[in-house]
Amino acid sequence: MKVLLLGDRFMTNEVLEAAIRRVFDGCGVKMEFTYLSDNWPVDPVEKNDEVCEYCGDETAILPLIRDADILMTHTGCITSRVIAAAQKLRVIGVGRGGPVNINMA
């Protein structure tokens, strides 16, 4: 299973990976992790016409999301363009109080 982790300086990729591994512990599922990080909270959150409170550039996510089965993010910009590029995606997880950085529509 391919897992894309979009961490930041607060919720690091290592923390996100540990959480995913705990969920699948003992299931016999082999995981391959890919990492991308943004610079939140050093860089402020942004807002666009699809999502608010995100950090980073959606174009950096696009080439990495194509083969991912699972996406786990904290502040990454998950727009309709990112979701459309995710050809195999089954699950989007967000490590914050709500999915304000994900286009839920």
Side-chain angles (χ1 to χ4, degrees), residues 72-101:
M72 186 68 186
T73 185
H74 185 238
T75 56
C77 184
I78 312 304
T79 62
S80 59
R81 187 172 160 203
V82 171
I83 294 169
Q87 300 167 357
K88 296 172 50 182
L89 194 64
R90 298 176 187 195
V91 175
I92 298 174
V94 62
R96 58 188 302 168
V100 295
N101 58 313

Side-chain angles (χ1 to χ4, degrees), residues 26-98:
C27 294
V29 175
K30 183 181 176 192
M31 295 188 196
E32 177 184 325
F33 290 89
T34 302
Y35 309 96
L36 182 65
S37 294
D38 61 56
N39 208 26
W40 186 83
V42 174
D43 293 345
V45 293
E46 299 178 52
K47 180 178 182 177
N48 64 30
D49 58 345
E50 285 190 57
V51 296
C52 62
E53 291 189 22
Y54 73 87
C55 196
D57 183 0
E58 73 172 337
T59 60
I61 301 168
L62 292 172
L64 303 175
I65 194 74
R66 298 192 195 288
D67 293 331
D69 298 294
I70 297 173
L71 167 64
M72 186 68 186
T73 185
H74 185 238
T75 56
C77 184
I78 312 304
T79 62
S80 59
R81 187 172 160 203
V82 171
I83 294 169
Q87 300 167 357
K88 296 172 50 182
L89 194 64
R90 298 176 187 195
V91 175
I92 298 174
V94 62
R96 58 188 302 168

Side-chain angles (χ1 to χ4, degrees), residues 15-35:
V15 168
L16 296 175
E17 180 177 341
I20 293 288
R21 288 193 182 278
R22 275 193 304 275
V23 168
F24 287 94
D25 187 38
C27 294
V29 175
K30 183 181 176 192
M31 295 188 196
E32 177 184 325
F33 290 89
T34 302
Y35 309 96

